[in-house]
Amino acid sequence: MTLAVSATTAWQSERNRLLGIAYRMLGDFGHAEDVVSEVAIEAVRQERKTDAGSVDSWPAWLTTVCVRRSVDRVRQLAAIREDYTGPWLPEPVDTSRLPEETVANRELLSLTLLHLAEQLAPEARAALVLHRAFGMSAPEIGEILEKTPAAVRQMISRSERRLEIDPDAPAPRAKDRAALEKLVLAIENGEIDTVVAMLDRDAVLWADGGGKVKSAMNPLFGAARIARFFAGILGKAVKFDPRRPVRAGIIEVNGEPALLLMHQGRSDVLVIDGGSDGSIRELRQVANPEKLTRLSLG
């Protein structure tokens, strides 16, 4: 077997894992696929170098290149997202379209954590992803990021505290499906009071329309403001279709249940995050149609 076949075979074998790393880093499946394709090209170039010598471990080499290219892409996208219209949220992906290896380990896969991870520096995000989602040790991560193990451990610890991740928990807590089902009925029936009762007083809503559809241009803080936002949606939906203004259902997104809202000829995906008392404290609504192309919306 030639070195070229070895590199290609290794990339094909590692592709899903690399895609899982890149998507968690970028929150954008298209960009993640681009990064993983770039890694394949770089692997071919590496094998053709007459002075490169043999690669001791293609999986390790591919992982290193994938992480470093993802870090570079995060920095590039940060500049672009500064000009994004309204709040930016990660791109949701239908669970059935995600590689099995990615869904099997749901750590740092939820839209909530992908969104929260945007506040981390690129290398800190990489360290957290590799440690939490792929079980890599500080020395292994240090070799990839060219950091000392102590520096890596510090980055991971700080990131976990900032994102309020329990370092001893094996995965993020599951969303309350019963709460979603209750929310579906309340929205379909226009019961705004029920929606308000489910919200934490200090709840916050991020709505990503990307300038493509009408949406809140800034995060909405407080149950009262969020309730008015949904009341406005319902009022416009009734004018658009008096017989059935809003249809709602539950779909699997990023390995967890999410709310699908269909109204005024458009679709929105809503992910909720509950407090310890069962109330809804955070809502993330993805309405930008360009971000919903990887979902089965029916």
Side-chain angles (χ1 to χ4, degrees):
M1 181 180 290
T2 65
L3 185 58
V5 173
S6 176
T8 302
T9 301
W11 179 84
Q12 292 173 336
S13 176
E14 295 293 315
R15 181 182 179 277
N16 286 349
R17 188 174 66 86
L18 299 176
L19 191 57
I21 292 173
Y23 177 59
R24 286 173 171 88
M25 285 285 296
L26 301 166
D28 185 297
F29 207 75
H31 280 290
E33 289 178 319
D34 289 345
V35 165
V36 174
S37 295
E38 291 172 5
V39 172
I41 295 171
E42 190 65 25
V44 172
R45 289 174 179 167
Q46 176 68 17
E47 72 187 3
R48 290 178 179 173
K49 290 181 180 178
T50 57
D51 61 344
S54 61
V55 173
D56 292 334
S57 170
W58 276 113
W61 187 94
L62 292 166
T63 299
T64 298
V65 175
C66 179
V67 171
R68 291 178 180 175
R69 285 190 172 270
S70 294
V71 167
D72 291 340
R73 187 68 67 99
V74 168
R75 292 193 175 107
Q76 294 169 4
L77 292 177
I80 296 173
R81 288 170 184 170
E82 287 181 0
D83 297 325
Y84 192 80
T85 303
W88 179 92
L89 292 175
E91 175 191 13
V93 181
D94 193 317
T95 299
S96 64
R97 298 188 183 186
L98 288 169
E100 289 184 9
E101 294 174 27
T102 301
V103 178
N105 183 352
R106 301 185 183 186
E107 187 70 83
L108 296 179
L109 186 60
S110 73
L111 283 186
T112 296
L113 284 179
L114 286 176
H115 181 215
L116 291 174
E118 284 292 304
Q119 63 189 287
L120 301 177
E123 290 186 337
R125 184 167 183 169
L128 186 67
V129 166
L130 294 176
H131 175 67
R132 294 287 303 184
F134 296 92
M136 295 182 66
S137 67
E140 291 173 324
I141 298 170
E143 289 185 11
I144 293 173
L145 299 178
E146 299 180 323
K147 303 283 186 181
T148 65
V152 170
R153 293 188 190 96
Q154 188 176 56
M155 281 195 295
I156 292 170
S157 178
R158 287 177 175 174
S159 298
E160 288 175 337
R161 288 198 301 271
R162 190 162 187 178
L163 271 57
E164 298 182 354
I165 296 174
D166 181 353
D168 297 321
R173 64 179 180 279
K175 294 291 184 294
D176 188 347
R177 192 179 185 94
L180 277 173
E181 292 173 349
K182 183 177 179 180
L183 194 58
V184 166
L185 291 175
I187 291 175
E188 280 199 321
N189 295 329
E191 299 170 355
I192 299 300
D193 289 343
T194 301
V195 175
V196 173
M198 296 179 68
L199 297 174
D200 183 270
R201 184 181 63 181
D202 298 319
V204 57
L205 166 72
W206 291 269
D208 180 348
K212 308 299 180 181
V213 295
K214 279 195 171 183
S215 192
M217 293 297 293
N218 296 293
L220 300 179
F221 296 92
R225 292 189 68 192
I226 295 172
R228 287 196 295 272
F229 175 75
F230 280 115
I233 289 177
L234 180 61
K236 293 174 183 176
V238 168
K239 292 180 180 179
F240 184 85
D241 183 356
R243 297 183 61 185
R244 194 175 183 186
V246 179
R247 288 181 294 156
I250 297 176
I251 61 174
E252 291 293 321
V253 171
N254 288 51
E256 63 185 4
L259 186 66
L260 174 64
L261 294 175
M262 292 169 282
H263 59 99
Q264 303 174 73
R266 63 184 253 193
S267 298
D268 301 346
V269 170
L270 187 70
V271 175
I272 67 172
D273 189 55
S276 57
D277 61 353
S279 64
I280 298 173
R281 64 178 186 179
E282 295 180 352
L283 305 92
R284 290 169 174 83
Q285 180 185 21
V286 183
N288 183 346
E290 294 181 356
K291 290 188 175 183
L292 302 178
T293 60
R294 300 178 195 275
L295 296 176
S296 301
L297 301 178

